[in-house]
């Protein structure tokens, strides 16, 4: 029986990765000399031939650019990478990563893109080129480039147990605004000129020159970065009158040989201060004008404060007047609608639960839940208060003695009052005036001035005016108190 000895099988296993490094594990299996069966040598030879053929068919190299890839901030960039010789990479694994193999920039495997372990800063910004994948093109597009995208990238391609990679470098550039020259004022006997620029990366150089091309030194330069990390620079220079007054400011980036068009500024003699009689006269005139304007504004301010004080004093005087001439008002049962119930002292009124059987006298209200006071006022000042509580609707005011008492009544019929209905406050003008109050009053003070033909309503709790009917608005010679009672409300007269 024949023997087969020293048969070696070389197995290439997939790469094993740990952290940022990875290595190829090779396992060499040596079959010791053994007694072969009648079919073992052909099987081993077939297996080895098939496996070696597979390894040979899968061999390739991964090719990247031989120079750094330049990308502009805010734009899209493409990282070139392809398989050589040209072959389809459709069924291969394509992994773009930076320092960590498992935390990838983009992953393509099993014929589709995978995003499970993608670095968060690349979400929605990467795309593998599919148009040329049949020819081995595995270039990666990165959208909306950021400063953090700068650095090293690995283009890793694996087919079965065979893999290769290419490493490429990405450098970021941002070409910002052109320099702008401005005059910021006088300093040290000269004019302070400032050159400003923004949105640059990497940090550019700012250069001042005269029109002959000679460089000028800048005594001051401040640098900062915006929210995207791009550079903002402010460079200043002092220009004296006797020096060359034609300036240019330019910026350059030695890294990319980028240079913006220079900003040129011509400084006229007008900018330099000169002592002359006309300048003195002009300065004195300006100072006098400023003093006059300031004094005028101050006098207007004093006048406004004075008028405001007079208004406050007038309001206080009206309130004090309202506290005088208190009237002891009672309700007239002869005018009360049958649905109203008066107290024995005729000071309070509410709605009855059932309709009362009362004589329908000419002076009695028959439709509105209204009642008038017994007192008639023809001259002088008079005031009284009505507790309205926090219940339903109510109306408090005055009316002419000749007010129509049959059917529905209206403000134009001789009523001057304020009230609440459904949480809304109103003055019974024609048309009705809506009132905006900071709080709902619980006691209303009625101030009647017969001589001025005027009536004012005050929140007695807050001592704040609710509404005033203007002078000469009251008509009729005899004025009487008047109330309207809403459902669930009780009104009470106070001295």
């Amino acid at each position: 029986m024949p023997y087969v000895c020293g048969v070696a099988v070389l197995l290439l296993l997939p790469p094993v990765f740990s952290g940022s490094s990875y290595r190829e594990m090779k396992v060499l299996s040596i079959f010791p000399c053994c007694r072969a069966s009648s079919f073992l040598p052909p099987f081993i030879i077939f297996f080895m031939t098939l496996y070696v053929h597979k390894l040979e068919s899968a061999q390739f190299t991964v090719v990247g650019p031989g120079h750094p890839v330049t990308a502009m901030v805010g734009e899209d960039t493409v990282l070139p990478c392809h398989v050589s010789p040209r072959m389809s990479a459709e069924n291969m694994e394509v992994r773009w990563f930076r320092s960590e193999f498992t935390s990838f920039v983009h992953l393509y495997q099993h014929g589709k893109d995978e995003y499970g372990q993608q670095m968060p800063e690349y979400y929605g910004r990467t795309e593998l080129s599919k148009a040329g994948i049949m020819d081995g093109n595995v270039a990666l597009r990165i959208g909306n480039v950021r400063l953090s995208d700068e650095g090293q990238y690995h283009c890793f391609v694996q087919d079965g147990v065979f893999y290769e990679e290419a490493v490429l470098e990405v450098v970021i550039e941002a070409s910002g605004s052109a320099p702008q020259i401005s005059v910021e004022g006088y300093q040290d006997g000269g004019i302070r000129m400032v050159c400003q620029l923004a949105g640059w990366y990497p940090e550019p150089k700012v250069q001042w020159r005269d029109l002959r091309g000679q460089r000028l030194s800048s005594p001051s330069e401040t640098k900062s970065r915006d929210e995207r990390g791009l550079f903002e620079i402010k460079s200043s220079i002092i220009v004296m009158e006797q020096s060359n007054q034609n300036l240019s400011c330019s910026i350059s980036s030695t890294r990319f040989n980028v240079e913006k068009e220079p900003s040129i500024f011509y400084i006229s003699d007008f900018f330099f201060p000169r002592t002359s009689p006309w300048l003195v006269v002009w300065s004195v005139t300006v100072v006098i004008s400023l003093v006059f304007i300031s004094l005028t504004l101050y006098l207007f301010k004093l006048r406004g404060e004075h008028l405001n004080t007079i208004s406050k004093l007038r309001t206080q005087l009206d309130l004090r007047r309202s506290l005088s001439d208190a009237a002891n008002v009672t309700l007239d049962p002869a005018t009360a609608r049958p649905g109203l119930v008066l107290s024995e002292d005729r000071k309070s009124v509410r709605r009855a639960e059932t309709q009362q059987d009362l004589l329908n006298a000419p002076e009695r209200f028959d439709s509105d839940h209204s009642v008038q006071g017994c007192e008639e006022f023809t001259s002088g000042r008079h005031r009284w208060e009505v507790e309205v509580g926090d219940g339903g609707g109510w109306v408090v005011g005055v009316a002419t003695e000749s007010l129509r008492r049959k059917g529905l009544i209206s403000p134009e019929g001789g009523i001057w009052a304020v009230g609440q209905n459904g949480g809304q406050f109103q003055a019974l003008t024609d048309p009705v005036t809506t009132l905006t109050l900071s709080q709902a009053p619980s006691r209303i003070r009625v101030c009647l001035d017969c001589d001025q033909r005027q009536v004012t309503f005050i929140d007695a709790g807050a001592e704040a005016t609710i509404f005033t009917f203007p002078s000469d608005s009251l008509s009729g010679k005899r004025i009487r108190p008047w109330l309207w009672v809403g459902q669930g409300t009780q009104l009470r007269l106070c001295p």
Side-chain angles (χ1 to χ4, degrees):
M1 185 69 72
Y3 286 83
V4 178
C5 296
V7 179
V9 179
L10 180 63
L11 298 180
L12 296 181
L13 299 182
V16 178
F17 303 95
S18 175
S20 62
S21 63
Y22 55 92
R23 54 192 176 85
E24 178 181 350
M25 297 287 293
K26 299 182 179 180
V27 179
L28 182 63
S29 297
I30 305 296
F31 290 92
C33 292
C34 56
R35 189 179 183 90
S37 63
S38 59
F39 64 89
L40 184 57
F43 170 76
I44 294 176
I45 294 173
F46 173 77
F47 174 79
M48 292 179 60
T49 303
L50 179 64
Y51 194 76
V52 170
H53 176 73
K54 179 179 180 182
L55 290 178
E56 290 178 349
S57 64
Q59 288 183 351
F60 54 83
T61 58
V62 178
V63 182
H67 55 80
V69 177
T70 301
M72 299 295 294
V73 171
E75 299 181 4
D76 295 352
T77 189
V78 176
L79 309 187
C81 185
H82 68 272
V83 175
S84 179
R86 298 287 183 174
M87 65 180 66
S88 175
E90 187 177 15
N91 296 319
M92 298 182 183
E93 176 182 319
V94 180
R95 181 185 297 260
W96 283 89
F97 67 96
R98 302 200 60 177
S99 59
E100 296 288 340
F101 182 84
T102 55
S103 183
F104 54 80
V105 175
H106 193 93
L107 176 61
Y108 172 85
Q109 62 181 180
H110 308 305
K112 61 180 180 179
D113 298 309
E114 301 286 350
Y115 299 97
Q117 299 296 324
Q118 187 180 31
M119 300 172 67
E121 56 267 35
Y122 291 96
Y123 285 170
R125 298 175 52 223
T126 61
E127 179 186 3
L128 189 71
S129 176
K130 304 296 194 308
I133 197 168
M134 298 297 293
D135 295 327
N137 183 10
V138 291
L140 179 69
R141 177 183 295 275
I142 301 178
N144 190 20
V145 170
R146 307 170 182 171
L147 289 185
S148 59
D149 296 335
E150 189 170 55
Q152 196 175 75
Y153 289 77
H154 296 255
C155 175
F156 175 90
V157 181
Q158 180 174 349
D159 183 19
V161 297
F162 187 82
Y163 63 90
E164 284 288 345
E165 72 166 1
V167 180
L168 60 151
E169 190 77 17
V170 174
V171 292
I172 304 299
E173 177 188 358
S175 180
S177 63
Q180 298 293 328
I181 299 179
S182 61
V183 179
E184 283 208 350
Y186 299 103
Q187 182 178 334
D188 301 331
I191 298 176
R192 185 170 183 260
M193 309 294 296
V194 175
C195 179
Q196 299 183 77
L197 56 127
W200 282 82
Y201 186 86
E203 179 185 337
K205 292 183 179 180
V206 180
Q207 297 176 345
W208 288 93
R209 288 188 175 91
D210 58 23
L211 290 189
R212 291 175 299 180
Q214 297 296 321
R215 291 188 180 183
L216 305 174
S217 61
S218 172
S220 174
E221 186 172 282
T222 59
K223 306 171 186 177
S224 61
R225 291 199 178 195
D226 59 18
E227 64 278 0
R228 297 185 298 169
L230 305 181
F231 283 96
E232 297 178 347
I233 299 178
K234 183 177 181 180
S235 177
S236 63
I237 190 171
I238 306 299
V239 180
M240 310 305 292
E241 182 177 5
Q242 64 274 15
S243 64
N244 195 315
Q245 299 171 19
N246 300 303
L247 299 174
S248 69
C249 175
S250 63
I251 52 179
S252 63
S253 174
T254 56
R255 177 172 169 184
F256 301 110
N257 296 321
V258 176
E259 183 168 355
K260 285 282 187 178
E261 290 295 327
S263 177
I264 302 175
F265 194 92
Y266 175 74
I267 306 175
S268 171
D269 291 339
F270 172 78
F271 286 99
F272 293 95
R274 301 179 183 278
T275 304
S276 67
W278 290 110
L279 180 61
V280 174
V281 172
W282 180 81
S283 301
V284 172
T285 303
V286 170
V287 171
I288 294 176
S289 301
L290 292 175
V291 171
F292 176 76
I293 293 173
S294 300
L295 182 60
T296 302
L297 293 176
Y298 178 71
L299 291 176
F300 271 108
K301 180 181 179 181
L302 288 180
R303 181 175 180 273
E305 293 178 351
H306 179 66
L307 293 176
N308 189 33
T309 302
I310 292 176
S311 177
K312 291 181 178 179
L313 291 175
R314 183 174 296 171
T315 301
Q316 293 177 1
L317 180 60
D318 291 340
L319 292 174
R320 290 177 181 176
R321 285 178 177 177
S322 69
L323 296 175
S324 61
D325 304 319
N328 186 17
V329 176
T330 58
L331 301 175
D332 184 0
T335 64
R337 188 180 186 275
L340 298 179
V341 177
L342 275 60
S343 62
E344 292 184 2
D345 60 358
R346 299 182 181 178
K347 287 288 189 179
S348 64
V349 59
R350 62 178 176 82
R351 286 195 183 187
E353 296 181 359
T354 59
Q355 185 76 14
Q356 303 176 76
D357 187 13
L358 299 175
L359 180 63
N360 188 14
E363 63 272 18
R364 186 180 302 281
F365 292 98
D366 64 352
S367 296
D368 280 293
H369 289 80
S370 303
V371 60
Q372 279 192 292
C374 296
E375 293 70 28
E376 292 183 356
F377 304 105
T378 59
S379 62
R381 296 188 183 93
H382 311 276
R383 63 102 180 162
W384 63 92
E385 295 183 1
V386 183
E387 288 184 356
V388 296
D390 56 357
W394 51 266
V395 180
V396 173
V398 298
T400 61
E401 190 278 334
S402 59
L403 177 67
R404 180 168 62 89
R405 295 176 173 82
K406 305 302 179 183
L408 296 176
I409 59 177
S410 59
E412 62 268 19
I415 296 176
W416 299 267
V418 295
Q420 173 188 336
N421 189 13
Q424 187 177 35
F425 297 95
Q426 297 176 333
L428 270 63
T429 55
D430 186 22
V432 173
T433 301
T434 300
L435 304 177
T436 302
L437 305 182
S438 59
Q439 61 182 10
S442 60
R443 178 180 290 199
I444 305 298
R445 183 181 302 149
V446 184
C447 303
L448 175 64
D449 189 340
C450 294
D451 299 331
Q452 296 292 329
R453 314 301 296 172
Q454 176 180 292
V455 60
T456 299
F457 298 91
I458 297 173
D459 181 350
E463 292 295 340
T465 301
I466 298 175
F467 189 78
T468 299
F469 286 85
S471 301
D472 296 327
S473 62
L474 273 67
S475 60
K477 296 182 178 180
R478 294 182 295 173
I479 304 298
R480 297 174 65 178
W482 174 79
L483 303 175
W484 178 87
V485 186
Q487 185 68 39
T489 302
Q490 178 170 317
L491 304 180
R492 179 172 178 79
L493 294 167
C494 307

